């Protein structure tokens, strides 16, 4: 049904920027809120950001607020995560997924159809 593919990760120096992309196999992505979450060794999975199907509502974890920006281009079946001012705490595998509870209090808690992820490493 739904296939999500993350890309754009890589190695970046502290203070640098990356833009991640989450691409869907077809236009069904347009109807869902999309979540970015990350997983790092020894740390709990953390919801990073979520965007509504229309793009009109966005949520961010406190740890990335002001540094990351989520956006989407439904015509391209793609959701983006612009990451600025990166630091070592941002090092993780970043996944996108369909957020099943995209509300202010529950976003990031229930999701499905996540992709394989893309590695982000912030290091000197």
């Amino acid at each position: 049904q739904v296939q999500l593919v993350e890309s754009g990760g890589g190695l970046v120096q502290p203070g640098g920027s990356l833009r991640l992309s989450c691409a869907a196999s077809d236009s069904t992505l347009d109807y869902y809120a999309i979540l970015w979450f990350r997983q790092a060794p020894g740390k709990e999975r953390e919801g990073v950001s979520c965007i509504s199907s229309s793009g009109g509502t966005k949520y961010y974890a406190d740890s990335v607020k002001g540094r990351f920006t989520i956006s989407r281009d439904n015509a391209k079946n793609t959701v983006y995560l612009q990451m600025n001012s990166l630091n070592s705490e941002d090092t993780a595998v970043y996944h996108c997924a369909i957020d099943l509870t995209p509300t202010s209090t529950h976003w990031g808690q229930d999701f499905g159809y996540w992709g394989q992820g893309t590695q982000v490493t912030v290091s000197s």
Side-chain angles (χ1 to χ4, degrees):
Q1 290 185 249
V2 180
Q3 292 181 221
L4 301 178
V5 179
E6 302 93 339
S7 63
L11 175 65
V12 64
Q13 295 187 41
S17 299
L18 286 172
R19 188 174 77 159
L20 307 184
S21 297
C22 172
S25 58
D26 57 43
S27 61
T28 58
L29 182 70
D30 300 356
Y31 298 94
Y32 297 99
I34 299 299
L35 167 76
W36 283 101
F37 69 90
R38 62 190 181 187
Q39 181 69 65
K43 300 173 69 175
E44 286 190 36
R45 181 171 54 229
E46 178 184 26
V48 175
S49 186
C50 178
I51 187 169
S52 63
S53 60
S54 68
T57 302
K58 303 172 182 179
Y59 304 110
Y60 298 96
D62 289 342
S63 58
V64 307
K65 197 169 298 181
R67 300 188 297 120
F68 291 11
T69 303
I70 192 169
S71 62
R72 68 191 301 159
D73 185 344
N74 284 347
K76 296 181 178 180
N77 302 319
T78 303
V79 173
Y80 304 98
L81 184 68
Q82 178 67 46
M83 307 186 296
N84 299 327
S85 302
L86 288 163
N87 58 63
S88 61
E89 296 298 310
D90 298 315
T91 295
V93 177
Y94 285 70
H95 300 262
C96 63
I98 293 173
D99 198 310
L100 303 178
T101 55
T103 65
S104 62
T105 55
H106 293 92
W107 72 271
Q109 298 180 15
D110 194 5
F111 55 89
Y113 295 101
W114 58 90
Q116 294 299 303
T118 185
Q119 176 71 50
V120 172
T121 302
V122 185
S123 177
S124 298

